Amino acid sequence: MLEIDWDHDGDEIFDCEVVVEPAHVEIGHFVSRLDRPWRDTPFPLEGVMVTSQNQRDWFCERCRWVVIDLLRSRNGHRPVSARAYRPLGRSMPAPPPMDEDAPANLLRRAEINPQTIADAMESQELLYRQAASLIDALRRTGRIDSEQARLNLRQIAATLETNIAAMVWLTRIRAGDENVAEHSVNVAIMAMGLARSMDWDDRTIEQAGLAGLLHDIGMLKLAPELSDPARQLEPAERKEIRRHCKIGYELVRDDPQVAPEVARAVLEHHEQPDGGGYPDGKRDYALADLSKMIAVVNAYDAMTEAHINPAPRSHHDALGELWRQRDHQFDAGMVEALIRFLGWVTPGALVRLSDQRYAVVLHSSHKNRLWPIVRCLKLQGDGYVPDQSINLAEQSGPPVRIAEVLPDGAIAVDLNEILLQEAMAGQAPRARAARGGKD
């Protein structure tokens, strides 16, 4: 029988799997582990989504404890009695509990206020102008000049400590008409934030941003129709797309402003630890840390992009997929670092509350990670507009909680307008308003 360390509270990375008594399992929870082998149960070996009272009764009658995977659950409620799941003797050492000042709490320390929103919008616009400049130069001359991009990224990296919450929100506001540029800017922002949360030095954070900005530059040398998300690609076309890694590497490797680590990340961002990636089928030991980081961030942004995917994943579903593919498609350490950095919910995420209202997450603190401040939404015409804000950790009446984290675009709401309202209407510049909000 598997033993459990019940006394170690742990940190957020392992809080996605929690141990509870069976009586505390709810409909919509995903049970991932039991106190007995799965072969002795009527359920699939990979776990089960609880959808009926009969299933709950089975666990209550036969189990002393079960493990709920909150990332895979439709019902994200964490029972009060839940404890972080930690099997004794697991190969990965348990990290120490994080205090509020720990680098990994970067996102939860940052505030959403008029100044940080204005600064984040300015930084995002700077990145878009830089991406457009790189694309234009490549199309005109067949080459890129990355010196100005490097200097801009250095400037943005210096503001991450205060602006990262607003910048993460901005990655969720996309129009979908500039796929390569939008995706590259988002990966740059997320990679810099993740690098800062891992306490990397300033030079390496700058390199993470540049690698994110350049990782898909090779796509611009391929036929434009291959980048059309609505196009059903033939096998030969999928093979052609795989060339973008080496094409991008050849474009940047001789640029004196591009560090070898950055060029290598451009080449390796689709390689996998198990050797199943491309272009060279390298395995974990042959991959650079920056390459592993860009691979994880690139996948997260692509999975959650509503304009590219016909069925985009929610924040929870994307993290759950990364978690399931750790050590196979993605580096386990980088997956864990991204989950620790982003947390259970992120600023700008759409959620459904337990009282059936929709809301947007504004801020999740270190102490109240599962009970953030949210802006409720109300239906007006054909879409939703902002209503009152609620601090879910400080409620006077019956407690309202997050019941479900939704994919971007699940309801018709303009996240750009909500962010502008948080900026106190008119005190901050409009976030690429000409491109529209994500809805």
Side-chain angles (χ1 to χ4, degrees):
M1 183 179 294
L2 187 64
E3 293 184 83
I4 301 294
D5 176 1
W6 292 85
D7 298 322
H8 196 316
D9 287 335
D11 61 15
E12 186 162 7
I13 176 62
F14 295 101
D15 282 356
C16 58
E17 286 193 308
V18 295
V19 180
V20 299
E21 295 180 2
H24 296 159
V25 173
E26 300 175 10
I27 302 296
H29 279 156
F30 187 95
V31 176
S32 60
R33 305 173 194 266
L34 306 173
D35 62 355
R36 65 198 60 239
W38 282 105
R39 64 177 178 272
D40 297 337
T41 79
F43 306 117
L45 296 179
E46 64 271 17
V48 59
M49 185 75 71
V50 179
T51 58
S52 70
Q53 185 60 43
N54 287 339
Q55 290 173 320
R56 290 188 70 251
D57 291 344
W58 192 96
F59 294 124
C60 290
E61 293 169 3
R62 294 170 175 81
C63 300
R64 291 188 302 109
W65 55 263
V66 302
V67 175
I68 299 170
D69 187 334
L70 293 174
L71 288 179
R72 300 167 73 180
S73 295
R74 293 174 185 164
N75 176 355
H77 178 233
R78 174 180 173 137
V80 175
S81 63
R83 302 295 299 274
Y85 168 70
R86 292 179 180 278
L88 291 176
R90 62 187 172 89
S91 59
M92 184 180 299
M98 293 187 297
D99 59 31
E100 186 174 2
D101 295 328
N105 274 321
L106 172 73
L107 184 57
R108 286 166 289 281
R109 284 196 303 272
E111 297 182 2
I112 297 284
N113 60 44
Q115 188 59 56
T116 61
I117 292 172
D119 291 344
M121 288 177 174
E122 182 178 343
S123 293
Q124 187 204 44
E125 188 61 36
L126 183 63
L127 281 177
Y128 272 108
R129 289 199 303 269
Q130 187 59 68
S133 176
L134 290 169
I135 292 170
D136 181 64
L138 180 61
R139 287 172 173 164
R140 285 188 298 101
T141 68
R143 301 177 59 191
I144 63 170
D145 180 2
S146 62
E147 180 177 7
Q148 188 59 48
R150 186 173 57 81
L151 295 175
N152 290 340
L153 288 163
R154 180 176 301 173
Q155 173 185 332
I156 293 169
T159 69
L160 286 176
E161 189 69 33
T162 56
N163 299 341
I164 188 61
M167 294 191 76
V168 166
W169 182 312
L170 290 172
T171 64
R172 315 198 83 89
I173 302 175
R174 295 176 280 198
D177 54 355
E178 303 169 11
N179 289 331
V180 173
E182 284 187 324
H183 175 61
S184 297
V185 167
N186 286 347
V187 173
I189 290 172
M190 297 283 286
M192 285 191 291
L194 178 56
R196 177 71 75 187
S197 78
M198 296 173 68
D199 208 20
W200 287 10
D201 60 50
D202 291 346
R203 176 177 176 273
T204 312
I205 293 171
E206 175 190 315
Q207 290 177 353
L210 188 58
L213 202 60
L214 297 176
H215 78 286
D216 268 351
I217 196 75
M219 290 293 295
L220 299 173
K221 300 291 283 186
L222 301 178
E225 59 268 22
L226 295 181
S227 299
D228 183 357
R231 181 183 175 87
Q232 187 70 32
L233 297 177
E234 300 293 333
E237 292 175 319
R238 287 195 292 270
K239 184 177 180 180
E240 176 71 3
I241 281 182
R242 290 187 168 202
R243 294 180 56 235
H244 80 274
C245 298
K246 284 194 172 180
I247 293 173
Y249 175 68
E250 291 166 358
L251 287 170
V252 303
R253 66 182 176 184
D254 296 326
D255 187 332
Q257 300 300 325
V258 176
E261 297 89 342
V262 173
R264 187 172 172 184
V266 173
L267 177 66
E268 296 179 344
H269 72 276
H270 281 294
E271 298 284 7
Q272 299 177 185
D274 64 3
Y278 63 88
D280 299 315
K282 295 179 181 178
R283 300 187 72 88
D284 175 71
Y285 57 82
L287 301 175
D289 285 345
L290 188 54
S291 304
K292 296 173 182 178
M293 169 183 281
I294 298 302
V296 170
V297 175
N298 169 58
Y300 173 84
D301 187 71
M303 283 190 285
T304 56
E305 168 49 62
H307 287 281
I308 293 177
N309 293 325
R313 295 177 184 265
S314 71
H315 168 69
H316 279 185
D317 287 345
L319 292 185
E321 181 63 20
L322 292 172
W323 180 258
R324 287 187 289 275
Q325 294 300 326
R326 68 195 189 283
D327 282 331
H328 298 290
Q329 189 172 349
F330 306 105
D331 177 75
M334 285 298 170
V335 170
E336 292 162 4
L338 182 67
I339 296 173
R340 185 184 291 119
F341 165 54
L342 292 178
W344 191 68
V345 287
T346 66
L350 291 172
V351 297
R352 181 177 59 81
L353 302 178
S354 57
D355 62 5
Q356 302 307 310
R357 283 182 294 176
Y358 293 113
V360 178
V361 174
L362 300 181
H363 180 66
S364 178
S365 70
H366 167 60
K367 294 181 179 180
N368 300 309
R369 292 171 294 186
L370 302 181
W371 303 85
I373 300 172
V374 301
R375 172 72 66 182
C376 293
L377 304 174
K378 62 181 179 181
L379 187 61
Q380 182 173 298
D382 295 330
Y384 287 84
V385 297
D387 197 6
Q388 67 180 122
S389 63
I390 301 177
N391 186 338
L392 298 182
E394 300 177 0
Q395 303 179 60
S396 57
V400 176
R401 55 177 172 77
I402 292 176
E404 183 181 8
V405 179
L406 303 173
D408 293 342
I411 60 174
V413 59
D414 191 335
L415 294 179
N416 192 61
E417 290 301 326
I418 295 176
L419 189 61
L420 289 174
Q421 184 177 93
E422 298 304 319
M424 297 183 178
Q427 292 192 25
R430 184 171 289 265
R432 292 184 61 79
R435 302 169 56 251
K438 176 184 279 191
D439 47 45

